[in-house]
């Protein structure tokens, strides 16, 4: 296994950020790590990359224990942390050369050049990092993460804040790198997971709530229709549950509700219910992304 996480607990003071987390990642896979804000994604990634220790449980990367063999783990792992911390006053080439030096890479000049070619930084290579756009900064972040040729890459929200073009470019780059490496990436974007991830792990409140092939998770949802409905007035969950054809209903936010319905016809029943109660249906939206529906269902 590339990554083996067993019964990991992490507490920050009195708070349990990770609560008995176990999963494995097989070599060569691209795994999507999904969860709402505060679910524990960054904490798990920091433990895998030896940035912080777990409170209990064990984590192995390519057979090395993160507590007993952190140097070996760091040799096998490349890490792009959330918010991509870079030295903005350094030049691109200078920075990559500096990172190469930290890893004691032989033939550093050639390796830096290879990295610049691989992530498409040729035009920007002589600029200061602070002068680069967010998309190019992410490329520098990816280059520093792979410069020592690690087997495993941990990417914490690598596409957050990118414009649609940059997003597509970085996604393509990750997919390309993933042909040769095991990748675990956290993201909020379901389409990203659907587009590039073989497996999906969903975490909520520090616990794993789903762990399967992405296509398996998508197919779980095929026979269910999920609707987001916003009313103009307060209603009770008891009233909504009585509507014919409604399997389940959960409050999402104020007057916004998440319905799981048996068949399309139940949409009509929701409108009828609203009319009878003199409530206005402000929006009714069918969830088209099946993974998004699974995510909402498991983490609402
Ligand atoms: P995510 O990456 O899924 O948004 P995090 O791993 O950052 O979640 O956080 C999980 C929980 O742990 C959150 O409730 C967060 O507030 C808490 N947490 C994270 N880092 C610290 C810290 N250094 N000290 C105290 N609490 C923390």
């Amino acid at each position: 296994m590339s990554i083996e996480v067993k019964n990991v607990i992490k507490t920050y003071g009195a708070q349990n950020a990770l609560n008995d987390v176990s999963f494995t990642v097989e070599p060569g896979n691209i795994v999507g790590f999904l969860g709402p804000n505060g679910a524990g994604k960054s904490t798990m990634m920091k433990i895998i990359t030896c940035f912080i220790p777990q409170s209990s449980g064990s984590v192995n990367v390519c057979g090395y224990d993160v507590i007993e063999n952190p140097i070996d783990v760091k040799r096998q792992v490349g890490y792009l942390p959330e918010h991509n911390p870079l030295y903005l006053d350094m030049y691109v080439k200078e920075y990559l050369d500096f990172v190469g030096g930290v890893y004691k890479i032989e033939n550093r000049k050639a390796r830096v050049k290879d990295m610049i070619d691989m992530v498409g930084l040729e035009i920007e290579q002589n600029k200061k990092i602070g002068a680069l756009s967010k998309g190019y900064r992410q490329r520098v972040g990816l280059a520093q993460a792979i410069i020592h040729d690690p087997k495993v890459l941990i990417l914490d929200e690598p596409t957050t804040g990118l414009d649609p073009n940059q997003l597509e470019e970085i996604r393509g780059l990750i997919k390309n790198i993933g042909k040769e490496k095991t990748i675990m990436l956290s993201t909020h974007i379901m389409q990203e997971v659907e587009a590039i991830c073989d497996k999906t792990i969903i975490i909520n409140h520090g616990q794993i709530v789903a762990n399967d092939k992405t296509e398996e998770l998508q197919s779980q949802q095929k026979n269910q229709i999920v609707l987001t409905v916003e009313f103009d007035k307060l209603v009770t969950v008891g009233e909504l549950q009585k509507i014919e054809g409604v399997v389940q209903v959960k409050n999402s936010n104020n007057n916004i509700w998440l319905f799981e319905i048996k068949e399309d016809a139940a949409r009509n029943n929701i409108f009828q219910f609203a009319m009878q109660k003199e409530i206005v249906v402000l929006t009714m939206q069918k969830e088209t992304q099946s993974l998004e529906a699974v995510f909402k269902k498991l983490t609402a």
Side-chain angles (χ1 to χ4, degrees):
M1 282 298 158
S2 288
I3 305 173
E4 220 169 341
V5 175
K6 272 194 207 152
N7 307 110
V8 165
I9 293 175
K10 175 69 187 177
T11 52
Y12 293 112
Q15 188 186 7
N16 252 12
L18 296 173
N19 197 358
D20 200 15
V21 169
S22 300
F23 63 85
T24 55
V25 177
E26 287 165 37
N29 271 358
I30 303 185
V31 175
F33 198 35
L34 291 177
N37 279 331
K41 301 181 295 296
S42 294
T43 299
M44 190 67 249
M45 290 180 143
K46 284 178 194 160
I47 294 172
I48 295 171
T49 51
C50 305
F51 268 66
I52 55 170
Q54 66 271 35
S55 306
S56 66
S58 69
V59 178
N60 265 263
V61 181
C62 302
Y64 296 108
D65 185 274
V66 292
I67 303 290
E68 280 165 22
N69 315 97
I71 303 283
D72 292 302
V73 170
K74 286 178 196 171
R75 277 200 192 104
Q76 310 290 338
V77 172
Y79 180 34
L80 176 57
E82 196 182 5
H83 309 308
N84 189 9
L86 294 167
Y87 293 114
L88 301 184
D89 281 332
M90 284 180 106
Y91 291 91
V92 172
K93 261 188 184 168
E94 181 192 16
Y95 172 66
L96 292 177
D97 185 67
F98 162 71
V99 178
V102 171
Y103 285 109
K104 297 191 173 71
I105 289 168
E106 285 171 24
N107 208 354
R108 237 154 70 196
K109 215 172 161 186
R111 185 67 185 158
V112 167
K113 187 182 176 309
D114 286 350
M115 289 302 99
I116 285 171
D117 291 347
M118 189 188 277
V119 302
L121 272 168
E122 296 91 341
I123 309 167
E124 310 284 17
Q125 60 179 301
N126 294 314
K127 284 190 184 167
K128 272 194 176 177
I129 294 173
L132 300 182
S133 68
K134 176 109 207 256
Y136 279 101
R137 286 187 197 186
Q138 287 306 83
R139 288 173 195 247
V140 177
L142 279 172
Q144 67 76 30
I146 54 178
I147 197 161
H148 57 301
D149 197 19
K151 292 199 176 82
V152 177
L153 259 189
I154 306 289
L155 310 175
D156 198 351
E157 300 199 15
T159 56
T160 299
L162 298 181
D163 73 32
N165 294 334
Q166 295 169 332
L167 202 139
E168 206 159 292
E169 285 161 12
I170 296 296
R171 226 180 253 172
L173 206 54
I174 293 171
K175 210 169 172 180
N176 228 354
I177 296 169
K179 286 180 189 155
E180 290 174 6
K181 301 191 187 299
T182 308
I183 298 184
M184 182 171 183
L185 67 95
S186 69
T187 176
H188 290 293
I189 309 168
M190 303 297 145
Q191 294 96 310
E192 191 151 286
V193 176
E194 293 182 309
I196 61 176
C197 297
D198 313 298
K199 257 183 82 174
T200 302
I201 298 175
I202 303 179
I203 184 167
N204 192 31
H205 296 305
Q207 286 183 312
I208 304 294
V209 290
N211 180 0
D212 214 331
K213 285 187 180 152
T214 306
E215 58 199 42
E216 291 292 325
L217 281 178
Q218 288 168 314
S219 67
Q220 269 184 22
Q221 205 61 20
K222 273 201 179 120
N223 299 325
Q224 292 164 344
I225 304 165
V226 176
L227 302 175
T228 304
V229 182
E230 183 177 7
F231 298 112
D232 73 332
K233 293 193 188 75
L234 283 177
V235 277
T236 65
V237 66
E239 288 176 292
L240 298 177
Q241 242 151 9
K242 282 189 204 137
I243 300 172
E244 206 187 324
V246 170
V247 181
Q248 218 185 355
V249 59
K250 274 185 192 157
N251 188 250
S252 168
N253 190 4
N254 295 325
N255 294 340
I256 302 175
W257 296 84
L258 213 63
F259 283 85
E260 190 186 317
I261 57 173
K262 266 193 215 139
E263 51 193 4
D264 260 347
R267 286 190 296 171
N268 237 333
N269 302 342
I270 296 171
F271 273 111
Q272 294 296 337
F273 158 85
M275 265 169 55
Q276 279 162 18
K277 299 262 172 188
E278 294 185 351
I279 297 168
V280 177
V281 176
L282 295 173
T283 55
M284 178 181 285
Q285 195 183 347
K286 208 165 158 182
E287 299 295 342
T288 46
Q289 296 295 334
S290 50
L291 192 61
E292 189 153 344
V294 175
F295 179 83
K296 282 189 178 170
K297 194 173 164 202
L298 294 171
T299 61

